[in-house]
């Protein structure tokens, strides 16, 4: 696992549900076919209302034009990030778009589990910080000391340690973790 | 210290005498359910991770219902059903309910109940957030993603954090203008969409135990809309009667101890409550129907695991019978093929429910999840452009029913039926 994650911030509000992250109509594509699965990146966050997309001002599409990946690879969310359906396609879509980490005030349970167990994105919790970071700010996450530094403003934030799920994240997902700990033997 | 019903079931499934909220435990899973949207990627992960040794831990315990994108020309969606069919054939999965056959059932959560997979005291995981519906049977049921499901598919085990429990008690006799949908919308407005995150929602009280199993499922179904890990109602004689009609398997009934500890308790007298809606764009955006009555509609929708059960149609039919004709396009989507058959058999004033809906000008669609979650472009009832929809479904997030520009109001089948015959949002008390 990388110890430092650097990237541009994409800031969102509260209750970003899985229909906004990846609309249900796109769930038909293969997640294993390398070429076809790129579509998940293309449609990531495509149902976020445009005035709420890329705060504080909104109006910034997460994916530009025909691109499959985003120039933003750290999502800053509010409370209840990933609420709604159980679709693992949601954190998968963010990963395909190039997102490395999400930092939100809180998460819905299934999205959080999927992010961790599938090894897609690192789901950090922090206090309410989505009003203190602007879309496009350059960020640096330090996974060793659980801090977030806004390189654009110089401001630093503490992140909630990942706790029980850290070993799963460090191993890249549930299966690798289960192998390492001897739970499964294949 | 006492335990809640959820804690007792999780203790049993983890082989312990006792569990405490907050601890991570490994559970033995009784049933794993999947469908056409999440089944194929689950199978893909299972094959990749377990390799040539991939083996289903217990075929009897795996249940597959194609239900989401069924009646569509979308080739990718149809490919997903093909993947399920091939998988069921290759691994001889008996509990597969194929599209285009007599076995096809429709929406998984309702089919689980009808086919006897819901057994009190057991643990069910499904690759769908509304798996919590099954908690109406006094069992632990919750949704997971593809990776977790693939892990269960190969091992029969999964980790879970023991949830704290919240208790919601409804006192009194439910008046005729209220339904389980109004009760859960009341709760959602009170605790919001993350009010129960990582917690169990336990429903209790005279008004709850007076409900049929169908209506109880409406309550537990929407536990996820508050972020709940599971919704649960203790099994009683009503549950036992339903289960014994459909399954010969043994089950165990658990009840919460009097001294069990709850994170919070909410008490309601149902006579103080009114018909409710959730306004766009969130299930917790609660308001009284009275406050939004007159809102012009372009579409009405009665369907889904939440609001497409027999009882939902039994509630809607008398209003459509009296109101005669709907003023806006109205879609009737029975959740399961069994319910579709019941619409032809069940009558009101001597006329079948199906005939009542047809006479009123409703469009009756084939059983599936249909437009509840938008789906492919050719999905029946899908919202388009600036549609204003009132629906018995469970979510009204931006774009949920199709068009990102549309607005969706969630309401009871009574309120939706009353609104269908007027073309504007209407309080069912004006019709009853």
């Amino acid at each position: 696992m990388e110890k430092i994650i650097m990237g541009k911030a994409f800031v969102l509000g509260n209750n970003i549900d899985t229909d906004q992250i990846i609309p249900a109509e796109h769930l038909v594509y293969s997640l294993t076919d390398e070429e076809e699965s790129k579509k998940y990146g293309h449609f990531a966050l495509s149902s976020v209302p445009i005035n709420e997309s890329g705060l504080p001002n909104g109006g910034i599409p997460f994916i530009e034009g025909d691109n499959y990946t985003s120039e933003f690879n750290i999502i800053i969310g509010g409370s209840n990030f990933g609420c709604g359906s159980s679709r693992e396609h949601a954190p998968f879509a963010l990963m395909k778009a190039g997102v490395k980490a999400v930092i939100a005030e809180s998460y819905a349970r299934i999205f959080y589990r999927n992010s961790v167990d599938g090894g897609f994105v690192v789901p950090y919790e922090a206090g309410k910080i989505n009003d203190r970071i602007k879309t496009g700010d350059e960020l640096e996450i330090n996974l060793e000391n659980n801090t977030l530094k806004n390189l654009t403003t110089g401001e630093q934030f503490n992140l909630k340690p990942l706790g029980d799920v850290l070993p799963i994240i460090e191993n890249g997902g549930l299966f690798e973790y289960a192998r390492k700990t001897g739970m499964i033997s294949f | 210290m006492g335990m809640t019903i959820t804690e007792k079931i999780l203790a049993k499934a983890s082989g312990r005498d006792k569990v405490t909220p907050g601890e991570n435990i490994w559970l033995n899973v009784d049933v794993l359910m999947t469908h056409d949207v999440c089944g194929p990627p689950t199978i893909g992960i299972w094959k990749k991770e377990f390799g040539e040794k991939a083996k289903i831990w217990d075929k009897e315990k795996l249940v597959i219902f194609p239900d989401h994108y069924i009646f569509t020309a979308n080739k990718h969606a149809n490919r997903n059903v093909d993947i399920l069919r091939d998988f069921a054939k290759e691994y001889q999965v008996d509990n597969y309910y194929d599209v285009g056959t007599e076995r096809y059932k429709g929406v998984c959560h309702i089919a689980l109940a009808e086919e006897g997979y819901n057994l009190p005291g057991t643990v069910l995981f499904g690759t769908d957030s509304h798996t919590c519906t099954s908690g109406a049977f006094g069992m632990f049921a919750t949704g997971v993603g593809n990776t977790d499901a693939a892990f269960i598919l190969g091992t029969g085990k999964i980790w879970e954090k023991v949830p704290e429990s919240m208790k919601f008690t409804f006192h009194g006799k439910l008046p005729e203008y209220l339904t389980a949908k109004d009760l859960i919308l009341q709760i959602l407005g009170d605790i919001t969409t993350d009010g129960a995150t990582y917690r169990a929602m336990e429903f209790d009280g005279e008004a709850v135990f007076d409900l049929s199993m169908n209506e109880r499922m409406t309550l537990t179904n929407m536990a996820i809309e508050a972020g709940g890990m599971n919704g649960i109602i203790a099994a009683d004689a009503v549950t036992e009667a339903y289960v014994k009609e459909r399954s010969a398997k043994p089950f165990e009934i658990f009840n919460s101890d009097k001294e069990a500890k709850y994170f919070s308790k909410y008490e309601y007298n149902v006579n103080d409550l009114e018909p409710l809606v959730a306004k766009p764009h969130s299930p917790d955006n609660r308001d009284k129907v009275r406050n939004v009555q007159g809102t012009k509609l372009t579409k009405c929708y009665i369907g889904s695991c939440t609001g497409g059960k027999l009882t939902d149609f039994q509630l809607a039919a008398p209003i459509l019978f009296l109101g005669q004709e709907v003023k806006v396009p109205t879609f009737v989507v029975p959740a399961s093929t069994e319910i579709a058959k019941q619409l032809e058999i069940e009558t009101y004033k001597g006329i079948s429910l199906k005939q009542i809906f047809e006479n009123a000008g409703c469009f009756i669609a084939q059983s599936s999840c249909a437009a509840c979650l938008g789906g492919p472009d050719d999905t029946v009832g899908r919202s388009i452009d600036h549609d204003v929809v009132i629906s018995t479904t469970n979510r009204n997030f931006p774009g949920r029913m199709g068009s990102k520009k549309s607005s969706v109001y969630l309401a009871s089948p009574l309120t939706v039926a009353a609104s269908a015959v007027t073309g504007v949002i209407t309080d069912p008390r004006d019709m009853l």
Side-chain angles (χ1 to χ4, degrees), chain B residues 179-366:
Chain B
T179 72
K181 184 64 167 283
D182 299 292
L183 304 186
I184 191 68
L185 289 179
Q186 175 71 36
I187 291 172
L188 284 164
D190 287 345
I191 70 172
T192 78
T193 52
D194 60 357
T197 298
Y198 251 107
R199 298 198 191 104
M201 296 174 74
E202 186 175 323
F203 303 97
D204 196 9
E206 182 189 2
V208 170
F209 288 102
D210 277 349
L211 296 172
S212 65
M213 289 316 296
N214 276 327
E215 279 281 89
R216 291 182 194 187
M217 283 194 271
T218 306
L219 282 180
T220 50
N221 171 277
M222 289 186 72
I224 184 64
E225 267 44 89
M229 179 187 293
N230 66 313
I232 198 159
I233 300 170
D236 65 357
V238 175
T239 324
E240 280 199 74
Y242 186 104
V243 170
K244 283 179 177 167
E245 256 182 50
R246 290 162 176 84
S247 175
K249 288 191 177 151
F251 56 84
E252 190 176 357
I253 292 178
F254 292 97
N255 285 285
S256 292
D257 294 325
K258 279 208 170 60
E259 57 286 9
K261 209 175 150 198
Y262 289 89
F263 174 81
S264 56
K265 289 181 179 177
Y266 291 77
E267 308 238 355
Y268 301 93
N269 185 323
V270 289
N271 292 300
D272 298 337
L273 306 179
E274 292 192 44
L276 298 171
V277 291
K279 296 184 288 187
H281 296 283
S282 182
D284 64 356
N285 195 11
R286 179 192 68 200
D287 208 340
K288 291 173 183 174
V289 176
R290 283 271 183 252
N291 291 341
V292 291
Q293 64 186 1
T295 303
K296 214 168 158 359
L297 299 165
T298 62
K299 215 172 247 176
C300 297
Y301 191 95
I302 308 176
S304 82
C305 53
T306 315
K309 298 178 259 70
L310 180 62
T311 41
D312 297 298
F313 298 114
Q314 287 170 324
L315 288 161
I319 291 174
L320 291 163
F321 181 83
L322 293 172
Q324 297 304 334
E325 231 165 272
V326 297
K327 299 290 185 296
V328 290
T330 297
F331 296 86
V332 164
V333 192
S336 72
T337 51
E338 185 174 319
I339 297 166
K341 282 181 202 142
Q342 286 166 333
L343 292 187
E344 296 182 31
I345 298 162
E346 294 288 325
T347 59
Y348 175 73
K349 293 199 173 170
I351 302 177
S352 77
L353 301 186
K354 187 179 180 194
Q355 193 64 55
I356 290 171
F357 295 133
E358 280 175 357
N359 290 349
C362 301
F363 182 85
I364 304 177
Q366 290 174 283

Side-chain angles (χ1 to χ4, degrees), chain B residues 389-403:
Chain B
V389 188
I390 192 162
S391 174
T392 63
T393 54
N394 43 56
R395 290 184 181 139
N396 57 349
F397 301 138
R400 167 73 179 182
M401 290 189 79
S403 167

Side-chain angles (χ1 to χ4, degrees), chain B residues 74-85:
Chain B
N74 184 295
K75 64 174 184 181
H76 292 109
N78 290 325
R79 181 184 60 185
N80 277 337
V81 177
D82 292 341
I83 292 171
L84 293 183
R85 184 178 300 123

Side-chain angles (χ1 to χ4, degrees), chain B residues 80-228:
Chain B
N80 277 337
V81 177
D82 292 341
I83 292 171
L84 293 183
R85 184 178 300 123
D86 293 347
F87 172 78
K89 199 174 169 197
E90 183 179 353
Y91 293 92
Q92 294 161 333
V93 179
D94 291 338
N95 305 326
Y96 173 60
Y97 295 84
D98 201 6
V99 182
T101 73
E102 280 292 304
R103 284 173 63 76
Y104 176 66
K105 290 298 297 179
V107 182
C108 57
H109 312 297
I110 305 309
L112 279 170
E114 291 174 348
E115 294 299 299
Y117 293 107
N118 288 348
L119 296 170
T122 59
V123 168
L124 183 152
F125 280 78
T127 60
D128 191 290
S129 61
H130 291 110
T131 303
C132 53
T133 310
S134 295
F137 290 78
M139 59 195 284
F140 178 84
T142 191
V144 286
N146 310 329
T147 300
D148 284 345
F151 196 88
I152 296 170
L153 188 57
T155 66
K157 295 184 195 306
I158 194 67
W159 69 273
E160 191 55 88
K161 183 179 284 200
V162 179
E164 292 180 296
S165 290
M166 300 169 80
K167 191 170 188 175
F168 302 88
T169 308
F170 288 93
H171 300 288
K173 292 268 181 206
L174 202 63
E176 60 166 0
Y177 50 85
L178 292 182
T179 72
K181 184 64 167 283
D182 299 292
L183 304 186
I184 191 68
L185 289 179
Q186 175 71 36
I187 291 172
L188 284 164
D190 287 345
I191 70 172
T192 78
T193 52
D194 60 357
T197 298
Y198 251 107
R199 298 198 191 104
M201 296 174 74
E202 186 175 323
F203 303 97
D204 196 9
E206 182 189 2
V208 170
F209 288 102
D210 277 349
L211 296 172
S212 65
M213 289 316 296
N214 276 327
E215 279 281 89
R216 291 182 194 187
M217 283 194 271
T218 306
L219 282 180
T220 50
N221 171 277
M222 289 186 72
I224 184 64
E225 267 44 89

Side-chain angles (χ1 to χ4, degrees), chain A residues 28-34 36-38 40 92, chain B residues 76 79:
Chain A
V28 295
Y29 303 118
S30 169
L31 288 90
T32 43
D33 183 273
E34 192 52 43
E36 194 175 320
S37 65
K38 284 181 181 170
Y40 285 104
F92 180 84
Chain B
H76 292 109
R79 181 184 60 185

Side-chain angles (χ1 to χ4, degrees), chain B residues 10-11 14 16 19 23-27 158-162:
Chain B
L10 295 182
S14 60
R16 300 171 178 214
V19 293
E23 66 179 328
N24 285 321
I25 55 171
W26 284 88
L27 298 170
I158 194 67
W159 69 273
E160 191 55 88
K161 183 179 284 200
V162 179

Side-chain angles (χ1 to χ4, degrees), chain A residues 15 17 19 24-25 28 30 36 46-47 80 84-86 88 107 109 113-114 117 164 175 179 183 186, chain B residues 24 49-50 69 76 79 127-128 142-143 145-148 159-160 193 197 373 382 395 397 400 404:
Chain A
N15 300 312
D17 65 83
D19 280 285
E25 66 196 282
V28 295
S30 169
E36 194 175 320
S46 62
S47 218
N80 203 23
S85 98
S86 68
E88 191 162 303
Y107 292 89
R109 164 183 164 269
R113 281 187 77 104
N114 288 344
D117 285 356
D164 285 348
F175 278 93
R179 276 188 202 104
M183 279 192 60
F186 35 80
Chain B
N24 285 321
E49 296 291 348
F50 291 94
Y69 305 152
H76 292 109
R79 181 184 60 185
T127 60
D128 191 290
T142 191
N146 310 329
T147 300
D148 284 345
W159 69 273
E160 191 55 88
T193 52
T197 298
L373 75 164
R382 196 177 194 273
R395 290 184 181 139
F397 301 138
R400 167 73 179 182
K404 289 168 207 166

